[in-house]
Amino acid sequence: MAVTGWLESLRAAEKTALLQDGKRMVHYLFPDGKEMAEEYDEKTSELLVRKWRVKNALGALGQWKLEVGEPAFTGPGSLGPELIKESNANPIFMRKDTKTSFQWRIRNLPYPKDVYNVSVDQKERCITVRTINKKYYKKFSIPDLDRYQLPLDAAALSFAHANCTLIISYQKPKEVVVAESELQKELKKVKTAHSSDGDCKTQ
């Protein structure tokens, strides 16, 4: 029932779409004023970016918060060489999904695979990453499962390590796969403007 509820919320949202540089960009405006923006690969329909924006207590729009995709780097000249060098050495956390899995990558983690412990915390509904040498610790939720109100399953979790990057995968429940397929059908109904057409058209 909850899966259907979120899908209906997406269907009911006011949507605009734009096709640019091989990407389908979709903007959602929900009745409560929240905004969601997504970018999909035009050919594969793979989700590349998802971000959210909400209004603050005074009614002003806040900053976009990234949920899926690679964090944008700060503009040129805003960081000194020392800060850039230090930033590049720190772990970089990002989410990049596949068709069948939610997937996160943590770059700049040089330790071998057997140093990491990746587990599901059922009580807090999150995934926890820690190293046995106590050099790194992080926990993060899966917002999709919260929106669909689905339980976390430890058996769906796996991880790998290569090229100083920890890759964490969580197999999408079949309910999510079906819902995402239904959403793609819905998005094909949205009139899509091309970048040369000017403003996007609203559904």
Side-chain angles (χ1 to χ4, degrees):
M1 188 69 181
V3 174
T4 305
W6 174 240
L7 189 56
E8 287 305 318
S9 294
L10 293 174
R11 284 174 172 154
E14 182 180 328
K15 295 181 284 291
T16 56
L18 175 69
L19 194 62
Q20 184 176 29
D21 299 328
K23 299 176 184 177
R24 179 187 293 270
M25 304 176 184
V26 185
H27 177 271
Y28 304 76
L29 178 60
F30 296 93
D32 61 2
K34 287 183 181 178
E35 296 177 70
M36 182 175 77
E38 294 182 325
E39 292 181 15
Y40 293 90
D41 184 290
E42 181 192 0
K43 293 181 179 179
T44 66
S45 296
E46 178 185 352
L47 177 65
L48 304 174
V49 173
R50 178 187 292 137
K51 53 189 178 180
W52 290 85
R53 184 166 66 173
V54 298
K55 293 181 178 180
N56 61 25
L58 298 177
L61 286 171
Q63 296 292 319
W64 285 101
K65 292 188 177 181
L66 192 68
E67 181 178 308
V68 177
E70 190 158 3
F73 290 102
T74 313
S78 58
L79 292 177
E82 300 83 2
L83 289 177
I84 292 175
K85 184 176 180 181
E86 180 182 356
S87 174
N88 288 341
N90 290 334
I92 300 173
F93 178 85
M94 63 170 286
R95 175 175 158 185
K96 180 176 171 58
D97 292 351
T98 69
K99 285 282 190 180
T100 58
S101 297
F102 303 120
Q103 193 172 91
W104 302 263
R105 296 169 183 261
I106 309 176
R107 298 174 181 162
N108 298 333
L109 288 180
Y111 318 112
K113 182 180 177 181
D114 57 8
V115 170
Y116 303 97
N117 182 298
V118 182
S119 60
V120 167
D121 186 327
Q122 297 286 3
K123 184 177 180 180
E124 294 194 25
R125 287 185 58 82
C126 68
I127 294 174
T128 300
V129 182
R130 54 167 59 88
T131 56
I132 58 176
N133 61 9
K134 299 183 179 179
K135 296 290 187 180
Y136 184 80
Y137 175 84
K138 186 175 185 65
K139 63 180 181 179
F140 55 92
S141 64
I142 307 179
D144 308 70
L145 297 188
D146 292 338
R147 288 190 287 265
Y148 288 117
Q149 296 182 28
L150 293 170
L152 274 71
D153 180 6
L157 185 65
S158 63
F159 70 97
H161 187 268
N163 301 319
C164 293
T165 301
L166 185 67
I167 304 169
I168 302 165
S169 300
Y170 186 99
Q171 186 174 355
K172 293 178 181 177
K174 63 179 183 300
E175 295 94 336
V176 172
V177 174
V178 170
E180 289 180 345
S181 176
E182 288 298 314
L183 176 60
Q184 287 305 311
K185 293 177 185 177
E186 191 71 23
L187 293 181
K188 288 179 181 178
K189 300 176 186 176
V190 180
K191 183 173 176 60
T192 303
H194 292 259
S195 56
S196 58
D197 294 344
D199 295 337
C200 300
K201 301 293 184 181
T202 304
Q203 178 184 307

